[in-house]
């Protein structure tokens, strides 16, 4: 426990604050100091529990309870309040929001880790080659070097073959150091930078409404975008626009909201559909749109049921109105759902105008009425409903209630049976369209009964023990024998293209987990709207256990249903222990298990807290990874990060987290890739992200186009880079066996210098920046092309071994073919060409042409830049070679260019060009043969898709099929409101009210004031 006391003095107040306090409160800082002295707060230590706070405030010996309802979390905004007194309990890193923020993690891609490992392997290979050549030198000097002492004397200080071998080892370290990819990391960063610019420049990821382009905020993770297996997404503001729209309703068994043509057929609502004219209502919201004119006619015709329906919507809520100018109302609602319902009632003639702790002012069809607000029966997760008890100006007592259909149906009067059946049919229809449904009902109360109930309610609300249970029982008592009025259907507007994006990512075998702080019903409804959940699934498991044992049993039962074979034949029906694989410092689960169908998993935050404990986390990740979709509800920011870390820990997969708010920062930092959406909740998520854009739909382009291209380019670059370096260096190794292990180089020293710097640098960069196997249209049309990246098939340790083997073969060809062509050969004039300089020139020319041909084979997309780099590099090589080996250069720089005349003498011989052609053929044929046989005999899924793309390239791709949302046969209402318990008590207490002119001076409120009258 922590205790604290205030310690400030009036002298510490500046003059401006002194006068401001005096005007606002009528008290000086000295008086305030006397008022707060002697107070003590005892509270819990800093923790990350957002939904819980325990403490006491001691004032003059009296103790007052402090709980979560009296706490303001960091980042909260206080509305309708001119001034207040506050005490900072936690500050800085001790605040609950900061306690939920994750630590910054240095992110590295799997390619980076592989490169580091391979560099160590290459150093080992270098040491092994140098040792072999050093031993060879020692043996050669011991057996034969003695006989050459006359004209090949040992260097000064060398007195034995062992010493010669030792020095030769370090000489070969210098010569063979080109096998170590020194320029690899620089080239990799250049490639990543270029691919990052492609993301920044992509106009198809630009959102014009708020002028927001896509942005690569880091340049080190591009290729990881092509390997994503799990996407963790926030809901509100990420999948949805966080905009609720009153779409349809059912009043007394009749459905409103659909539009029909003259023949009575339902027509789809489009931008051209005629909207309802609300000009008769001067207080209507001009942004509100409705298309069914029959509902307006019912309101204008004075239909009693319709009036009662909209009267309920205008009274039963906790919305706060604000009227900055005459007739311009702004509603501050704790959930967008409530704001949508109150706005609908406003447009149809029942305008919620003002409220005080005791009254609600409504303008009903132009007539101002003031209802006495007697009680608010608040919402909580168990009740799943809220009610208000009001007294009309005529003195009638009425209880208005709205909530989940499954709850309210049990509270209806028996006479509502037929009406309930009709309403149920409409609810099924609404829910099947992915709308958020709600049932509304009312009850007339007798004065005597209510007076007795009110007295018992007061006694229960002041009870020291069992207060919640007593209040709940009283609420149940009065909320009975309700008369059904109808149902509402609200559309939580998704961002454009969200269902299509999720469907496309699903085809790419990317699993999507939704981690949201909203309640279960809200998240499930969005899941259906997004096509993540659908009724074709075999089952959707709901994990709601309140203990460790219950959660474990529910998870195990779910996995038993998805994979019953794993439990068959084992004692007691228990599943056998899973064999873990070691990966680095953690243990990972084996490869993907396959369930017997498609399943979904929904788990709430309370149960998730148990599931994330050490003994259950493996149970959770095994069960969740069998499901096609996972939705975690009511989770804290820290739990979001823990779920991501859990998958990273136990699955050999790359994760991506996407969100738009401060509560998503921990998740974004924890995942391998963090994506921020610049939306309605500020820029904190964007500032903590690796990539950012404005709409969720751009995610498919980021992964399937840019991510896939970056991964393929990087893999091709690495394979080619290692190949050309190994082939270049290993020729030195073979030459050592024919030069007495003397540490003499094969090539001219200028060729060694310019090989990586000039001759092969630009072609490989051109391929790595511009290559693409298919364009962006086909990448999106065939998401299956993304699968090889998830499985890391294009470059891994196995591919490196293949590359090494091919390099060894090529180096043998590149050494022995020129060696054989030069051996004992003569020119056409009878002069010998079997000299060291001619051999070196032939070998290096063969090498450069072979690696250039290999580059051409690896290039799938030829551009003018690629052509210029490849052919230009060859042209530059021949130009430099003839220039350096010319007589003029030799005369000026005699010591630096000893290969005088070698170029014109050697390259003028047909046998040399025949040797070059033979080298290229022998090096390329195995590659062509292997690739041809692989595609013909064992084609991969990617090979099949690429073959299909080549056939379809002759015509443009067909438009993607417009699949309608799956219609559900089961309701998913569940009171999908983002309510918080205790908000009703805040309304009735008046603590969030602020007096406004014209009644501020008197402190009273007159509903008949000029400002509130309808003109």
């Amino acid at each position: 426990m922590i205790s604290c006391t205030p310690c400030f003095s009036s002298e510490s107040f500046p003059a401006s604050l002194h006068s401001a306090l005096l005007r606002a409160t009528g008290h000086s800082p000295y008086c305030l100091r006397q008022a707060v002295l002697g107070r003590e707060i005892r509270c819990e230590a800093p923790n990350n529990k957002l939904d819980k706070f325990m403490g006491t405030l001691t004032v003059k010996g009296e103790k007052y309870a402090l709980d979560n309802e009296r706490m303001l979390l960091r980042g909260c905004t206080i509305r309708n309040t001119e001034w207040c007194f506050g005490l900072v309990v936690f500050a800085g890193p001790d605040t609950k929001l900061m306690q939920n923020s994750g630590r910054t993690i240095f992110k590295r891609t799997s390619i980076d880790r592989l490169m580091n490992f391979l560099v160590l392997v290459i150093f080992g290979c270098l040491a092994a080659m140098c040792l072999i050549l050093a031993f060879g030198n020692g043996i050669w000097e011991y057996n034969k070097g003695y006989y050459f002492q006359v004209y090949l004397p040992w260097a000064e200080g060398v007195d034995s073959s062992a010493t010669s071998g030792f020095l030769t080892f370090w000489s070969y370290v210098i010569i063979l150091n080109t096998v170590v990819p020194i320029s690899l990391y620089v080239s990799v960063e250049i490639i990543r930078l270029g691919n990052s610019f492609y993301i920044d420049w992509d106009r198809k990821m630009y959102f014009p409404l708020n002028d927001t382009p896509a942005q690569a905020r880091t340049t080190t993770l591009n290729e990881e975008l092509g390997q994503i297996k799990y996407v963790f997404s926030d809901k509100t503001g990420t999948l949805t626009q966080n905009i609720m729209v009153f779409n349809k309703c059912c009043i007394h068994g009749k459905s409103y909201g659909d539009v029909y043509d003259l023949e009575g057929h339902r027509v789809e609502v489009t931008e051209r559909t005629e909207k309802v004219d609300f000009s008769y209502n001067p207080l209507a919201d001009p942004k509100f749109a409705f298309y069914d004119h029959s509902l307006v006619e019912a309101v204008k015709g004075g239909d009693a049921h319709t009036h009662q329906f909209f009267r309920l919507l205008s009274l039963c809520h906790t919305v706060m109105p604000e009227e900055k100018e005459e007739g311009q109302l702004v509603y501050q609602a704790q959930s967008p759902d409530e704001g949508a319902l109150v706005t609908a009632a406003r447009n149809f003639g029942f305008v919620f105008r003002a409220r005080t702790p005791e009254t609600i002012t409504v303008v009903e069809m132009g007539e101002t009425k003031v209802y006495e607000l007697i009680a608010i029966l608040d919402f909580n997760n168990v009740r799943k409903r809220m009610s208000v008890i009001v007294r009309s100006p005529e003195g009638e007592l009425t209880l208005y209630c709205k909530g989940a259909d499954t709850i309210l149906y049990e509270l209806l009067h028996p006479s509502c049976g037929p009406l309930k059946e009709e309403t149920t049919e409409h609810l099924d229809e609404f829910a099947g369209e992915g709308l958020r449904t709600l049932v509304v009902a009312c009850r007339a109360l007798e004065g005597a009964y209510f007076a007795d109930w009110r007295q018992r309610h007061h006694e229960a609300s002041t009870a020291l023990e069992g207060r919640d249970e007593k209040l709940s029982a009283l609420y149940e008592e009065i909320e009975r024998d309700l008369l059904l009025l109808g149902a509402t259907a609200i559309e939580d507007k998704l961002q454009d293209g969200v269902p299509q994006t999720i469907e496309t990512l699903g085809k790419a075998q990317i699993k999507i987990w939704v981690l949201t702080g909203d309640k279960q019903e809200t998240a499930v409804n969005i899941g259906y709207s997004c096509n993540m959940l659908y009724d074709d699934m075999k089952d959707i498991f709901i994990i709601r256990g309140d203990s460790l044992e219950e959660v474990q049993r529910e998870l195990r039962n779910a996995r038993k249903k998805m994979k019953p074979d794993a439990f068959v034949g084992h004692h007691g029906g228990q599943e056998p222990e899973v064999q873990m694989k070691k990966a680095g410092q953690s243990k990972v689960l084996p490869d993907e298990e396959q369930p017997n169908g498609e399943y979904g998993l929904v788990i709430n935050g309370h149960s998730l807290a148990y599931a994330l404990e050490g003994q259950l986390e493996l149970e959770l990740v095994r069960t969740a990874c069998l499901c096609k979709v996972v939705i975690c509800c009511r989770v804290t920011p820290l739990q979001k990060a823990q779920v991501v870390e859990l998958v990273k820990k136990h699955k050999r997969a790359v994760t991506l987290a996407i969100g738009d708010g401060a509560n998503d920062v921990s998740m974004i930092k924890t995942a391998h890739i963090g994506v921020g959406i610049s939306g309605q909740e500020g820029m904190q998520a964007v500032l903590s992200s690796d990539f950012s854009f404005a709409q969720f739909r751009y995610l498919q382009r980021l992964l399937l186009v840019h991510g896939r291209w970056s991964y393929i380019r990087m893999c091709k670059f690495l394979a080619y880079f290692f190949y050309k370096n190994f082939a270049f260096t290993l020729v030195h190794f073979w030459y050592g066996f024919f030069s007495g292990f003397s540490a003499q180089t094969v090539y001219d020293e200028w060729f060694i210098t310019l090989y990586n710097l000039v001759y092969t640098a630009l072609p490989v960069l051109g391929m790595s920046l511009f290559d693409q196997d298919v364009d962006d249209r086909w990448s999106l049309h065939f998401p299956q092309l993304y699968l090889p990246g998830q499985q890391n098939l294009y470059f891994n340790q196995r591919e490196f071994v293949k590359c090494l083997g091919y390099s060894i073969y090529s180096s043998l060809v590149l050494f022995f073919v020129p060696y054989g062509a030069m051996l004992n050969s003569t020119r056409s004039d009878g002069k010998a060409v079997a000299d060291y300089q001619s051999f070196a020139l032939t070998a290096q020319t063969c090498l450069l042409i072979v690696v250039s041909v290999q580059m051409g084979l690896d290039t799938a997309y030829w551009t003018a830049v690629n052509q210029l780099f490849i052919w230009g590099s060859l042209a530059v090589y021949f130009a430099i070679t003839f220039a350096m080996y010319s007589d003029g250069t030799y005369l000026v720089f005699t010591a630096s260019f000893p290969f005088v005349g070698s170029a014109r003498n050697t390259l003028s011989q047909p046998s040399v060009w025949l040797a070059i052609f033979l080298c290229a053929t022998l090096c390329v044929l195995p590659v062509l043969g292997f690739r041809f046989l692989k595609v013909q005999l064992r084609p991969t899924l990617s090979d099949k898709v690429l073959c299909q793309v080549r056939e379809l390239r002759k015509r443009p791709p067909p438009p993607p099929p417009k699949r309608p949302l799956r219609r559900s046969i089961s309701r998913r209402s569940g009171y999908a409101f983002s309510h918080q318990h205790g908000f009703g008590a805040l309304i009735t207490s008046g603590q969030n009210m602020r007096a406004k002119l014209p009644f501020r001076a008197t402190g009273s409120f007159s509903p008949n004031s000029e400002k509130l009258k309808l003109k």
Side-chain angles (χ1 to χ4, degrees):
M1 297 293 288
I2 295 177
S3 63
C4 60
T5 55
C7 54
F8 64 86
S9 63
S10 57
E11 289 80 4
S12 62
F13 282 82
S16 58
L17 181 58
H18 187 291
S19 59
L21 281 172
L22 190 61
R23 288 196 308 270
T25 67
H27 299 282
S28 67
Y30 176 78
C31 298
L32 298 179
R33 178 177 180 273
Q34 295 300 318
V36 300
L37 282 178
R39 273 66 170 169
E40 182 185 46
I41 291 180
R42 297 182 62 84
C43 64
E44 61 188 15
N47 57 68
N48 54 35
K49 297 179 180 179
L50 291 174
D51 58 343
K52 186 178 181 181
F53 177 79
M54 293 181 60
T56 58
L57 170 65
T58 304
V59 180
K60 296 180 181 180
E62 294 289 334
K63 290 187 176 181
Y64 299 90
L66 296 179
D67 52 26
N68 205 52
E69 296 177 11
R70 295 167 177 81
M71 286 291 294
L72 285 177
L73 301 179
R74 175 181 174 181
C76 290
T77 300
I78 305 176
R79 299 184 184 277
N80 302 320
T81 305
E82 288 186 340
W83 59 268
C84 68
F85 296 116
L87 176 64
V88 177
V89 180
F90 300 136
D94 292 336
T95 60
K96 288 184 178 288
L97 187 59
M98 292 300 293
Q99 290 277 316
N100 275 275
S101 64
R103 58 188 177 90
T104 302
I105 302 174
F106 177 69
K107 297 182 178 182
R108 292 190 306 166
T109 67
S110 58
I111 294 290
D112 283 331
R113 293 188 289 271
L114 179 61
M115 284 195 306
N116 294 339
F117 171 75
L118 294 181
V119 168
L120 295 178
V121 172
I122 291 172
F123 270 110
C125 293
L126 173 63
M129 290 190 294
C130 293
L131 280 174
I132 293 173
L133 294 172
F135 277 115
N137 176 266
I139 295 172
W140 189 88
E141 290 288 354
Y142 181 80
N143 292 328
K144 295 188 177 182
Y146 177 80
Y147 301 105
F148 296 89
Q149 289 290 327
V150 176
Y151 62 93
L152 284 177
W154 286 344
E156 184 178 355
V158 178
D159 54 3
S160 66
S161 60
T163 305
S164 175
F166 175 77
L167 295 178
T168 301
F169 174 85
W170 298 109
S171 298
Y172 272 113
V173 167
I174 297 173
I175 292 174
L176 301 181
N177 76 85
T178 52
V179 77
V180 179
I182 299 175
S183 62
L184 174 65
Y185 292 93
V186 176
S187 302
V188 165
E189 292 305 318
I190 293 174
I191 294 168
R192 287 172 171 169
L193 180 64
N195 288 322
S196 298
F197 281 131
Y198 291 148
I199 297 174
D200 297 340
W201 296 337
D202 192 343
R203 293 186 178 182
K204 295 182 179 179
M205 296 174 67
Y206 170 74
F207 192 57
L209 294 183
N210 55 7
D211 190 26
T212 304
Q215 184 179 10
R217 299 179 54 82
T218 180
T219 61
T220 59
L221 302 173
N222 301 70
E223 67 273 8
E224 199 99 303
L225 291 171
Q227 300 177 272
I228 302 298
K229 181 64 178 178
Y230 291 90
V231 170
F232 300 90
S233 174
D234 181 36
K235 181 191 72 67
T236 304
T238 303
L239 299 178
T240 68
Q241 302 179 31
N242 203 18
I243 299 175
M244 308 296 177
V245 177
F246 183 84
N247 193 288
K248 296 180 181 181
C249 65
C250 168
I251 303 176
H252 199 64
K254 184 177 180 180
S255 176
Y256 297 95
D258 290 319
V259 180
Y260 298 89
D261 57 17
L262 297 177
E263 299 178 357
H265 299 134
R266 183 187 300 181
V267 297
E268 183 180 358
V269 175
T270 63
E271 295 181 356
R272 298 182 178 180
T273 306
E274 183 183 1
K275 299 180 182 179
V276 171
D277 184 12
F278 293 107
S279 59
Y280 70 93
N281 181 4
L283 292 178
D285 185 353
K287 299 179 182 178
F288 182 82
F290 201 76
Y291 301 93
D292 189 354
H293 296 264
S294 61
L295 182 56
V296 177
E297 298 301 325
V299 173
K300 291 182 178 180
D303 181 71
H305 298 294
T306 305
H307 280 211
Q308 188 74 325
F309 176 85
F310 284 111
R311 185 176 294 113
L312 181 148
L313 297 185
S314 65
L315 294 172
C316 186
H317 55 78
T318 56
V319 175
M320 295 297 300
E322 189 174 2
E323 191 170 0
K324 297 181 179 180
E325 296 182 10
E326 183 70 27
Q328 295 184 4
L329 286 169
V330 178
Y331 291 142
Q332 304 290 348
Q334 66 158 331
S335 70
D337 311 68
E338 285 217 311
L341 293 177
V342 176
T343 300
R346 166 187 174 182
N347 277 64
F348 284 101
F350 289 77
V351 184
F352 168 57
R353 192 77 183 265
R355 77 153 69 239
T356 69
E358 298 83 17
T359 62
I360 297 177
T361 302
V362 179
V363 179
E364 297 184 359
M365 304 303 292
E367 179 183 356
T368 301
K369 292 186 177 182
V370 180
Y371 290 84
E372 181 185 355
L373 177 60
I374 300 176
I376 295 180
L377 313 186
D378 207 359
F379 167 88
N380 64 36
N381 289 325
V382 178
R383 286 168 40 78
K384 295 186 178 180
R385 63 187 184 274
M386 76 160 291
S387 302
V388 296
I389 300 175
V390 297
R391 191 191 304 274
S392 68
E394 293 78 17
E396 299 176 351
L397 279 172
T398 308
L399 180 144
Y400 293 106
C401 182
K402 65 182 180 183
D405 55 305
T406 54
I407 302 297
L408 255 65
Y409 275 0
E410 299 177 1
L411 307 177
L412 295 179
H413 192 274
S415 62
C416 297
L419 180 59
K420 183 172 71 172
E421 293 180 2
E422 295 178 3
T423 305
T424 301
E425 293 180 3
H426 296 305
L427 282 173
D428 291 339
E429 181 182 352
F430 297 158
E433 298 175 4
L435 303 178
R436 300 152 65 96
T437 59
L438 196 68
V439 172
V440 296
C442 66
R443 175 190 177 186
L445 300 176
E446 297 179 358
Y449 166 75
F450 178 71
D452 176 66
W453 181 89
R454 192 173 189 180
Q455 177 61 31
R456 289 184 285 130
H457 179 269
H458 176 72
E459 295 173 358
S461 62
T462 56
L464 297 179
E465 297 181 359
R467 180 186 302 177
D468 292 339
E469 292 77 9
K470 293 177 181 179
L471 288 175
S472 179
L474 284 172
Y475 292 168
E476 291 280 347
E477 175 188 329
I478 201 170
E479 291 174 329
R480 290 202 173 273
D481 296 331
L482 302 177
L483 298 179
L484 181 61
L485 293 179
T488 64
I490 295 177
E491 179 186 3
D492 186 0
K493 277 188 170 296
L494 296 173
Q495 292 186 12
D496 295 338
V498 167
Q500 294 79 9
T501 299
I502 290 176
E503 182 179 6
T504 301
L505 296 180
K507 291 179 180 178
Q509 300 300 314
I510 297 175
K511 293 187 176 183
I512 298 180
W513 292 25
V514 176
L515 311 178
T516 177
D518 282 343
K519 57 197 299 291
Q520 175 183 312
E521 292 81 4
T522 306
V524 170
N525 279 337
I526 294 299
Y528 277 96
S529 301
C530 295
N531 274 0
M532 288 189 293
L533 299 176
Y534 43 88
D535 289 322
D536 293 343
M537 283 184 167
K538 293 192 69 172
D539 201 353
I540 298 175
F541 304 107
I542 308 294
I543 308 299
R544 53 167 68 95
D546 292 326
S547 67
L548 192 69
E549 293 75 16
E550 288 183 20
V551 174
Q552 184 178 21
R553 183 173 61 254
E554 291 176 355
L555 289 173
R556 187 172 290 271
N557 290 338
R559 196 169 71 256
K560 189 173 183 179
K561 184 171 183 179
M562 290 186 285
K563 216 174 154 40
D565 296 342
F567 295 82
V568 176
H570 296 278
H571 179 68
Q574 296 294 320
E575 187 180 16
E577 287 292 328
V578 61
Q579 298 296 321
M580 305 290 289
K581 297 180 180 179
K582 288 188 177 181
Q585 300 298 323
S586 61
K587 294 182 178 180
V588 299
L589 288 168
D591 295 335
E592 291 292 324
E593 301 177 280
Q594 296 300 324
N596 58 3
E598 293 184 343
Y599 295 90
L601 180 71
V602 180
I603 182 170
N604 59 43
H606 185 71
S607 301
L608 186 63
Y610 292 108
L612 290 174
E613 295 185 6
Q615 52 187 312
L616 266 189
E617 61 177 18
L618 188 60
E619 195 84 32
L620 171 64
V621 72
R622 291 188 65 193
T623 304
C625 289
L626 284 173
C627 299
K628 186 178 179 65
V629 174
V630 177
I631 298 177
C632 300
C633 318
R634 289 297 190 196
V635 294
T636 65
L638 184 60
Q639 284 180 323
K640 291 183 178 183
Q642 289 174 335
V643 171
V644 177
E645 184 63 36
L646 184 66
V647 175
K648 288 177 59 179
K649 178 181 178 182
H650 292 296
K651 301 295 292 184
R652 197 189 303 271
V654 182
T655 60
L656 180 145
I658 180 171
D660 70 317
N663 59 339
D664 303 316
V665 169
S666 298
M667 173 177 69
I668 288 173
K669 288 181 178 180
T670 304
H672 292 99
I673 302 289
V675 177
I677 291 184
S678 52
Q680 306 291 330
E681 299 189 26
M683 296 293 291
Q684 286 149 312
V686 171
L687 294 176
S688 302
S689 65
D690 305 306
F691 302 89
S692 66
F693 41 72
Q695 294 281 287
F696 181 84
R697 68 176 184 268
Y698 299 145
L699 181 62
Q700 62 176 331
R701 187 168 181 85
L702 181 70
L703 300 185
L704 303 185
V705 178
H706 293 287
R708 182 174 166 275
W709 283 350
S710 297
Y711 173 71
I712 293 176
R713 290 165 180 167
M714 185 61 68
C715 292
K716 284 188 175 183
F717 165 77
L718 292 175
Y720 179 79
F721 192 92
F722 286 126
Y723 166 74
K724 73 181 183 67
N725 275 17
F726 273 116
F728 170 80
T729 306
L730 287 174
V731 175
H732 286 296
F733 181 76
W734 308 126
Y735 182 66
F737 290 89
F738 292 83
S739 62
F741 306 97
S742 59
Q744 183 182 17
T745 60
V746 179
Y747 316 112
D748 174 26
E749 60 182 15
W750 286 102
F751 179 81
I752 296 174
T753 303
L754 299 175
Y755 178 72
N756 280 319
L757 188 64
V758 176
Y759 299 148
T760 61
L762 291 180
V764 69
L765 286 178
M767 179 190 69
S768 304
L769 291 175
F770 301 104
D771 196 50
Q772 48 182 264
D773 53 350
V774 294
D775 60 23
D776 56 343
R777 296 178 306 159
W778 297 109
S779 295
L780 295 174
H781 191 70
F782 292 101
Q784 299 87 347
L785 290 170
Y786 192 78
L787 298 182
Q790 292 177 335
Q791 301 166 7
N792 198 20
L793 296 180
Y794 288 150
F795 191 79
N796 48 44
Q797 295 181 19
R798 182 179 179 182
E799 293 298 318
F800 175 76
V801 172
K802 290 181 181 179
C803 176
L804 179 59
Y806 179 50
S807 301
I808 295 174
Y809 167 77
S810 297
S811 66
L812 288 170
V813 172
L814 291 170
F815 175 76
F816 284 103
V817 170
Y819 177 81
M822 294 288 106
L823 186 65
N824 299 325
S825 62
T826 59
R827 298 191 312 186
S828 58
D829 58 1
K831 294 182 179 180
V833 293
D835 59 273
Y836 164 71
Q837 294 181 345
S838 298
F839 169 73
L841 181 62
T842 304
Q844 66 192 37
T845 305
C846 290
L847 170 67
L848 193 60
I849 290 179
V850 165
V851 296
S852 298
V853 171
Q854 184 64 42
M855 168 67 66
L857 291 177
D858 289 340
T859 301
Y861 182 68
W862 286 90
T863 65
V865 177
N866 294 92
Q867 301 273 6
L868 176 64
F869 284 172
I870 292 179
W871 306 120
S873 296
L874 287 175
V876 168
Y877 164 73
F878 285 108
I880 292 177
T881 299
F882 278 98
M884 287 194 307
Y885 299 168
S886 64
D887 297 341
T889 306
Y890 175 75
L891 293 175
V892 177
F893 306 100
T894 305
S896 299
F897 300 97
F899 280 39
V900 57
S902 297
R904 63 175 180 267
N905 292 332
T906 304
L907 295 180
S908 63
Q909 302 302 312
S911 60
V912 172
W913 287 104
L914 180 62
I916 294 174
F917 175 77
L918 185 59
C919 279
T921 303
L922 290 176
C923 290
V924 168
L925 275 181
V927 177
L928 294 177
F930 174 77
R931 293 180 180 179
F932 175 78
L933 293 177
K934 178 176 175 292
V935 172
Q936 297 299 320
L937 301 180
R938 297 186 61 182
T940 62
L941 177 62
S942 180
D943 293 330
K944 296 176 182 178
V945 173
L946 288 174
C947 182
Q948 187 177 357
V949 168
R950 283 191 290 268
E951 294 176 358
L952 295 174
R953 266 178 172 164
K954 299 178 181 179
R955 56 184 183 274
K962 295 183 178 180
R963 188 184 67 172
L965 294 177
R966 293 182 174 92
R967 294 183 62 86
S968 170
I969 60 173
S970 58
R971 273 190 319 282
R972 302 181 299 275
S973 58
Y975 198 32
F977 273 31
S978 304
H979 272 315
Q980 294 180 7
H981 176 64
F983 204 77
L986 187 62
I987 292 287
T988 55
S989 69
Q991 295 178 5
N992 65 330
M993 304 292 179
R994 180 176 67 189
K996 297 181 181 180
L997 289 174
F999 53 91
R1000 176 185 293 179
T1002 63
S1004 60
F1005 173 78
S1006 173
N1008 297 318
S1009 63
E1010 292 299 324
K1011 185 175 181 178
L1012 297 176
K1013 285 186 179 180
L1014 186 64
K1015 292 185 178 181

